[in-house]
Amino acid sequence: MLIAIFASYAALELAGRVTAARNQARLAWLIGGATAMGTGIWSMHYTGMLAFRLPMPVYYHVPTVLLSLLAAIFASFIALFIVSREQLTSFRVIVGSLLMGAGIATMHYTGMAAMRLAAMHHYNPGLWLLSVVLAIVISLVALWLTFHFREERSGRLLKVATSILMGLAIPVMHYTGMAAVSYMPDSETPDLSNALDISRLANSAVILATLIILGTVMLTSLVDRRFSAQARELAISEHRYQLLFESNPQPTLIFDLHSLHFLALNEAAVSSYGFTSKEFLDMKITALHPAEDLGNLLAAAYSAAPYKSLHRRKDGGSFDVELSLRNIIWAGKPAAMLLASDITERKRAEQLELERRNFLETITQNQPLEDSLNQLVRILENQISGAVCSTLLLKGSRFCHVAASQFSKDLLAGLEGFRLEEIASALGLSPECREMAFIENFSNGCPDKGLREWAAALNLRSCWSAPVVDASGALIGLVVVFFRDHRTPSAQDRNRLEMARDMASIAVEHRRLTDRLSYQAQHDALTGLPNRFLLEDRLQQAIAYANRHDSQLAVLLLDLDGFKYINDTVGHQAGDQVLIEVARRLRSITRRTDTLARIGGDEFCLVLSDLHKSGDSLQVAQNCLDALRKPVILGEREYMVSASIGICCYPEHGAEPEVLQQNADTAMYHAKFSGKNGFQVFTPEINAHFHERLELTGDLRQALDKCEFRLDYQPQFMADGELTGFEALLRWEHPVRGLIMPDKFISIAEETGLVIPIGNWVLDEACRQLSVWRRSGYPALRVAVNVSTMQFERQDWMHTVAETLKKTGLPPSALELEITESVLMTNCEGAASRLKELRNLGVSCAIDDFGTGYSSLKYLQNLPIDTLKIDQSFVRDLDPCSDGQSGNCAIVRAIVTLAQQLGLKVVAEGVETDNELEVLRRLGCDMVQGYLFSRPLTVENCERFLRNSRSVRQLPQLIGSDPGSKFSTGR
């Protein structure tokens, strides 16, 4: 048993080594490990055989014994091979356990077949089969345990416990196999050829040899593990260094301190210097760095201070570098690591900043560009003796004179009007050249005859020129310096000319920037239209023009309908494209004398001046609507964009720009409230309505805190008259205006966002009241609550519903949420997901006012809804004598049939006559509600109603609160 435990522990160690080894080392560990393991298992077997006592001498056939040893080694090889795989699949473990179990059983029974004794043996089939099954099961468990505890990080204690468990299991199979055989004495003498008598001493030698083999293998495994761990740590360290070296954004080079040859470099060095890696490795540091300055560079390694120098690129160009040098050991030799930072741009910026100081004040004074350039000319002439300077700016393809101190206008006429190609040719350049040019003998060297004669007349001998370019590199002008003698420029002269060129560029760019900022301050950046500031100026001018010429003008304020939906669903970039397209279309229908401005996110203002009659503004408004009627294409989708337009005329509706815009804004809101996609001319009545709406908005913000809302409840019945529940309807008891129906304030609540807290209060109050009624003896009652679009689309809506049900103790099945078609069809996928969550919660859902929207049958069949509510407009005037094939009767029949096919319930709203009820029953409508049964009731009337009647046949005609809808009209 001890040998089995020791062999099991060795197997765990060997599995780890085989897994970690690669290539030929892996094969060596497999063969050596299988030999050691197989010898251990075989030794345990023969040690157990020695413990088997028989009343006769026992000999062992040597070839058969060796064959059993090979079987043990084969089983061990299979085990190590399988557990060293990266994955242990079910197929591998089953096949492996079968092969390994078969190998162990073969080893055991081959070993028993090697016994030579004077007796007949008989095998018990049951115990024999049990021993084979045990061998397979033990092999399966051993494979699984060995695979999971093969890693070096596995705990030592766990490995010991596992080896003990495996060591105990192996003898169980062995002794089960021993018990499967029984021996009967026989007088016949056994065949003892090639047979040996294994004594205790011989068996002890076998055990000792086995333990030595296993111990040697384990010791080798431990040593190999230690060296492998060190090798891994070294490889990881080298890999980290390599990553840091290669990923360094600064050029990094390593060179030998003795030979000065480069030893290594990173990609940043290749990119900066232009040499390939191979070229670098064939070079010395002196190919980049001046040899005479190398000593100073090497000394900088000890001071740790950055060192500035000039390095050479492959193309021959030089650039300023800041160097950092560190001494290191590379491949056992002294070396140096050099970090080079390109500081060319930094030095150029410092020089440029210094040159700008003398000219900066002139530029920042925002004086005319010609004055600034004249000052620059004078500065340059003062710095360069004998210079006659001028600046030419490029307008189109020709140059024009801007500034000169010593040239009169008559003299400068010889320079103006020349094309870019002609001037470039005269200066010995190409039109694409942006370099300074120096001509020592201009009168003779100029190829253009006209310029040569002009220069000779003025006794101009030499000419220097510097092209002035903008930030993008485009040519915008020339700085030209003439001399009346032959002049060769010095380095200082070149710097001064370069300074003049740069300052001229800054002056021109500053003027352009100032003009551009002025434009941007008065125009919309997205559409290029005038903004609110420029609009006020244009409107003031239009009013002044109308007064002078006794004409009319109109102000049209356009607000896009549904633009927020595009912004929210497609994104702001797509919204910007819509605004650009809208601006383009509106601009295409306006006159040049009119002003089209963008004054807000999706608001445009159109000032129509010099109108012949006020009715012209209506035609323009209609033209605007027609221009926006065509869908806007974004990507592969089309989006419909409309506008609500308010019209205000001068002087009829106001005399001041602010009043005109305000009244146009009021008319626009009235057009939007009236159904959108239309226009409205301002009237005093509209203004009064608008102010009333503003007052309601202010009162609505405080109504919830002042407890001015209440809920009425309209009963709902089965078609046969059985009461099923109520629909909760919102009312506002205004302290001054009295009872206000939802159609007066719900749209305001949606615009201001107050519909969220109001809707949450409605849900909470309806669930609380129904919970009270159910506890009072009406456990079957249900309540229907309407949900606004903003509520339904909120991320926390599900949490709100769940918390309300939990707080009020109302079962989810007692609550039904009513949602309009437009809410569902706006975002079908999102609505389906939200409805599915409600169904999982146990809450049912209904589509309210079905048939008035634009439901898609494709999506309707996939939406997890429970009820369709037929809008009362389809229930009006149902004729019991109709054949049901036309009119409202046909519509109701179609809705009921659709609902039945989809497994949905149908509720008819606004039932007011017996004829309507009769038709609805005949068509198969499930539930009804309306004035025929009851008006919406207050809580007190509902309780009286519940006490007096439970069915429609017994229901008295109770009159509750005034009619109103869930959010408009409830019948």
Side-chain angles (χ1 to χ4, degrees):
M1 184 179 297
L2 292 176
I3 295 177
I5 294 173
F6 193 54
S8 300
Y9 188 85
L12 294 176
E13 290 290 336
L14 289 170
R17 299 319 310 145
V18 173
T19 302
R22 294 293 181 269
N23 303 326
Q24 295 182 354
R26 178 187 182 88
L27 180 61
W29 276 108
L30 269 174
I31 296 173
T35 303
M37 277 184 59
T39 303
I41 296 172
W42 177 81
S43 177
M44 181 281 302
H45 167 74
Y46 275 95
T47 303
M49 294 286 291
L50 186 63
F52 189 61
R53 292 286 185 264
L54 290 175
M56 59 196 71
V58 179
Y59 299 88
Y60 289 90
H61 186 244
V62 174
T64 308
V65 169
L66 294 177
L67 184 61
S68 66
L69 175 60
L70 290 177
I73 293 174
F74 170 77
S76 301
F77 185 89
I78 293 297
L80 289 177
F81 180 79
I82 291 176
V83 299
S84 64
R85 301 292 92 186
E86 292 184 1
Q87 292 183 345
L88 187 64
T89 62
S90 299
F91 176 78
R92 287 178 179 175
V93 74
I94 291 174
V95 173
S97 59
L98 289 173
L99 291 175
M100 185 177 173
I104 293 174
T106 300
M107 179 272 300
H108 176 79
Y109 288 106
T110 302
M112 293 191 68
M115 297 174 63
R116 297 292 188 265
L117 68 165
M120 298 287 294
H121 61 273
H122 173 72
Y123 285 97
N124 185 325
L127 291 177
W128 177 84
L129 182 60
L130 177 61
S131 67
V132 174
V133 171
L134 283 174
I136 295 173
V137 171
I138 291 170
S139 299
L140 189 146
V141 174
L143 289 176
W144 189 89
L145 290 174
T146 304
F147 179 81
H148 287 83
F149 293 105
R150 66 184 182 177
E151 300 295 337
E152 295 178 8
R153 60 177 177 268
S154 301
R156 186 72 59 187
L157 187 59
L158 287 175
K159 282 189 176 182
V160 172
T162 303
S163 60
I164 293 175
L165 179 63
M166 293 169 58
L168 292 175
I170 294 174
V172 171
M173 176 269 161
H174 172 76
Y175 288 107
T176 302
M178 295 293 293
V181 63
S182 58
Y183 292 91
M184 299 293 295
D186 189 7
S187 58
E188 185 177 350
T189 301
D191 181 12
L192 299 180
S193 59
N194 296 322
L196 294 175
D197 179 13
I198 299 179
S199 63
R200 293 181 182 271
L201 181 59
N203 190 69
S204 299
V206 170
I207 294 174
L208 181 60
T210 301
L211 293 176
I212 291 174
I213 292 174
L214 291 175
T216 302
V217 171
M218 288 184 61
L219 181 61
T220 304
S221 173
L222 292 173
V223 172
D224 183 68
R225 178 193 299 178
R226 178 64 56 86
F227 282 112
S228 297
Q230 293 177 352
R232 281 197 304 272
E233 292 177 0
L234 181 59
I236 292 173
S237 177
E238 291 179 352
H239 180 66
R240 289 175 179 171
Y241 172 78
Q242 188 70 18
L243 287 178
L244 290 174
F245 183 78
E246 291 294 339
S247 61
N248 190 353
Q250 285 186 310
T252 306
L253 306 103
I254 297 176
F255 62 91
D256 190 293
L257 284 176
H258 295 305
S259 65
L260 301 182
H261 276 97
F262 286 113
L263 303 175
L265 63 145
N266 62 0
E267 285 298 323
V270 174
S271 176
S272 296
Y273 287 89
F275 295 101
T276 65
S277 298
K278 185 178 183 304
E279 290 172 338
F280 261 117
L281 297 179
D282 293 335
M283 293 164 46
K284 294 183 178 182
I285 182 62
T286 51
L288 305 180
H289 194 87
E292 62 274 11
D293 191 47
L294 188 59
N296 296 330
L297 175 63
L298 296 178
Y302 300 97
S303 63
Y307 187 80
K308 296 180 180 179
S309 181
L310 201 65
H311 273 196
R312 182 180 66 86
R313 288 193 176 96
K314 183 179 180 180
D315 59 7
S318 300
F319 65 105
D320 294 293
V321 290
E322 186 174 79
L323 305 174
S324 178
L325 192 67
R326 296 292 183 273
N327 292 332
I328 63 172
I329 300 299
W330 184 270
K333 296 181 180 181
M337 182 170 64
L338 181 68
L339 278 72
S341 300
D342 188 345
I343 60 171
T344 303
E345 293 301 325
R346 189 177 76 189
K347 293 194 67 174
R348 288 178 181 174
E350 292 173 354
Q351 182 180 0
L352 181 61
E353 185 63 26
L354 183 61
E355 294 172 348
R356 284 178 179 178
R357 290 179 181 177
N358 294 331
F359 200 61
L360 184 59
E361 185 177 355
T362 302
I363 297 174
T364 56
Q365 288 175 355
N366 204 24
Q367 62 183 0
L369 178 61
E370 183 175 354
D371 293 346
S372 298
L373 294 180
N374 275 326
Q375 183 179 356
L376 175 62
V377 166
R378 288 192 298 270
I379 293 173
L380 189 58
E381 288 179 344
N382 290 334
Q383 291 178 345
I384 304 177
S385 62
V388 180
C389 304
S390 176
T391 56
L392 303 176
L393 295 185
L394 189 64
K395 290 187 177 181
S397 60
R398 296 180 181 271
F399 283 99
C400 67
H401 164 260
V402 176
S405 63
Q406 300 184 30
F407 283 130
S408 65
K409 291 186 177 180
D410 295 336
L411 295 178
L412 288 171
L415 286 178
E416 292 187 354
F418 277 95
R419 292 182 176 275
L420 171 62
E421 296 82 0
E422 295 169 340
I423 292 289
S425 176
L427 298 176
L429 303 173
S430 65
E432 295 78 18
C433 182
R434 300 293 183 265
E435 299 296 330
M436 294 186 295
F438 303 93
I439 302 178
E440 295 184 12
N441 192 349
F442 184 72
S443 58
N444 296 327
C446 178
D448 185 85
K449 181 179 179 181
L451 278 177
R452 190 169 59 248
E453 293 177 352
W454 173 82
L458 295 175
N459 193 27
L460 301 177
R461 302 293 181 87
S462 298
C463 177
W464 301 349
S465 65
V468 181
V469 298
D470 61 14
S472 64
L475 183 67
I476 57 177
L478 284 174
V479 176
V480 184
V481 182
F482 293 100
F483 298 92
R484 290 186 170 88
D485 57 358
H486 297 289
R487 185 73 60 91
T488 300
S490 65
Q492 190 175 15
D493 292 333
R494 290 175 179 267
N495 291 337
R496 287 171 178 171
L497 184 58
E498 184 178 358
M499 179 273 296
R501 177 191 65 185
D502 293 340
M503 294 303 103
S505 175
I506 293 174
V508 175
E509 285 285 271
H510 182 268
R511 172 50 54 188
R512 288 182 176 180
L513 177 61
T514 303
D515 295 342
R516 186 163 58 250
L517 290 177
S518 177
Y519 179 87
Q520 291 176 351
Q522 297 179 339
H523 290 78
D524 175 49
L526 180 65
T527 61
L529 298 176
N531 59 15
R532 185 182 298 274
F533 301 106
L534 185 56
L535 173 67
E536 293 179 359
D537 180 70
R538 296 278 182 87
L539 184 54
Q540 195 71 262
Q541 295 180 26
I543 292 175
Y545 180 89
N547 292 333
R548 288 195 305 271
H549 296 84
D550 194 23
S551 61
Q552 299 180 8
L553 69 87
V555 176
L556 278 65
L557 195 68
L558 295 84
D559 186 87
L560 300 183
D561 304 324
F563 179 74
K564 183 178 183 299
Y565 170 74
I566 296 177
N567 248 356
D568 294 342
T569 56
V570 190
H572 292 286
Q573 291 184 347
D576 290 346
Q577 295 302 315
V578 171
L579 293 175
I580 294 173
E581 176 63 18
V582 168
R584 186 193 65 79
R585 295 184 186 182
L586 294 178
R587 192 185 289 114
S588 67
I589 62 171
T590 57
R591 302 171 300 175
R592 297 187 62 181
T593 57
D594 300 332
T595 297
L596 175 64
R598 181 189 176 205
I599 59 176
D602 57 351
E603 287 187 338
F604 297 84
C605 185
L606 180 59
V607 178
L608 305 176
S609 59
D610 197 20
L611 293 179
H612 298 292
K613 54 183 182 297
S614 58
D616 292 343
S617 62
L618 304 182
Q619 182 59 48
V620 174
Q622 185 60 51
N623 292 341
C624 293
L625 296 178
D626 294 340
L628 300 178
R629 199 177 308 278
K630 184 179 178 181
V632 177
I633 300 176
L634 298 177
E636 299 180 353
R637 296 186 61 181
E638 295 183 349
Y639 292 89
M640 301 301 300
V641 179
S642 61
S644 299
I645 306 176
I647 305 174
C648 183
C649 299
Y650 174 86
E652 181 181 355
H653 300 139
E656 298 296 330
E658 296 81 4
V659 176
L660 290 172
Q661 293 184 69
Q662 181 179 354
N663 290 341
D665 189 65
T666 300
M668 180 272 293
Y669 273 106
H670 190 274
K672 189 174 288 290
F673 298 148
S674 299
K676 305 178 181 179
N677 194 25
F679 54 84
Q680 175 66 52
V681 179
F682 174 79
T683 63
E685 293 76 17
I686 290 176
N687 194 35
H689 173 76
F690 182 74
H691 285 291
E692 178 186 8
R693 188 176 180 87
L694 287 179
E695 292 177 1
L696 280 178
T697 302
D699 295 341
L700 188 62
R701 296 183 184 278
Q702 306 176 21
L704 194 60
D705 294 334
K706 293 182 178 181
C707 302
E708 296 176 0
F709 292 117
R710 80 165 196 237
L711 289 183
D712 287 353
Y713 299 87
Q714 187 171 33
Q716 294 179 328
F717 301 89
M718 297 298 294
D720 60 3
E722 179 184 355
L723 176 67
T724 61
F726 297 92
E727 180 178 4
L729 306 173
L730 180 63
R731 302 291 184 263
W732 181 8
E733 293 180 310
H734 196 280
V736 177
R737 301 175 186 271
L739 190 66
I740 303 178
M741 294 295 107
D743 60 333
K744 299 292 185 181
F745 65 86
I746 285 300
S747 60
I748 299 176
E750 290 178 338
E751 291 175 8
T752 58
L754 292 173
V755 72
I756 300 300
I758 293 175
N760 292 343
W761 178 86
V762 170
L763 177 65
D764 186 79
E765 179 63 19
C767 292
R768 185 197 63 77
Q769 185 60 57
L770 183 64
S771 182
V772 172
W773 286 337
R774 288 171 67 94
R775 289 195 299 268
S776 300
Y778 305 97
L781 288 181
R782 304 175 77 248
V783 67
V785 178
N786 289 270
V787 179
S788 70
T789 302
M790 295 180 66
Q791 278 182 288
F792 186 74
E793 292 179 348
R794 282 180 66 89
Q795 295 296 326
D796 61 350
W797 172 237
M798 292 302 304
H799 177 74
T800 300
V801 175
E803 286 298 312
T804 300
L805 293 173
K806 181 180 178 181
K807 178 174 63 176
T808 59
L810 186 69
S813 59
L815 175 64
E816 182 173 72
L817 299 178
E818 297 186 2
I819 304 160
T820 61
E821 288 179 276
S822 58
V823 175
L824 299 178
M825 293 301 108
T826 299
N827 183 2
C828 293
E829 292 80 3
S833 174
R834 188 60 56 88
L835 291 174
K836 186 177 296 183
E837 294 181 43
L838 288 171
R839 172 165 288 184
N840 294 336
L841 187 62
V843 177
S844 59
C845 297
I847 297 183
D848 196 15
D849 300 334
F850 184 76
T852 61
Y854 47 95
S855 293
S856 167
L857 298 182
K858 172 185 175 182
Y859 288 108
L860 187 61
Q861 64 179 346
N862 298 323
L863 291 175
I865 57 175
D866 305 279
T867 306
L868 296 181
K869 297 195 71 175
I870 303 176
D871 186 71
Q872 56 185 346
S873 61
F874 300 126
V875 180
R876 292 283 77 81
D877 303 324
L878 287 176
D879 186 3
C881 299
S882 171
D883 58 359
Q885 302 300 320
S886 62
N888 285 349
C889 190
I891 296 175
V892 173
R893 178 191 296 276
I895 295 175
V896 171
T897 302
L898 173 65
Q900 290 173 348
Q901 293 295 326
L902 297 177
L904 307 177
K905 294 182 294 184
V906 181
V907 179
E909 297 180 296
V911 182
E912 297 184 353
T913 66
D914 291 329
N915 288 339
E916 293 170 354
L917 178 61
E918 178 184 347
V919 174
L920 291 169
R921 284 174 172 170
R922 188 175 70 231
L923 293 178
C925 186
D926 300 299
M927 300 170 63
V928 291
Q929 69 181 83
Y931 285 3
L932 178 62
F933 315 107
S934 173
R935 291 175 178 270
L937 306 173
T938 63
V939 173
E940 294 77 11
N941 285 338
C942 279
E943 293 174 349
R944 189 181 306 115
F945 169 79
L946 289 172
R947 290 194 299 269
N948 293 340
S949 176
R950 291 175 180 270
S951 73
V952 73
R953 299 179 185 86
Q954 301 169 340
L955 174 64
Q957 294 300 315
L958 297 176
I959 302 298
S961 60
D962 292 335
S965 78
K966 321 126 213 177
F967 281 54
S968 57
T969 304
R971 300 172 72 86

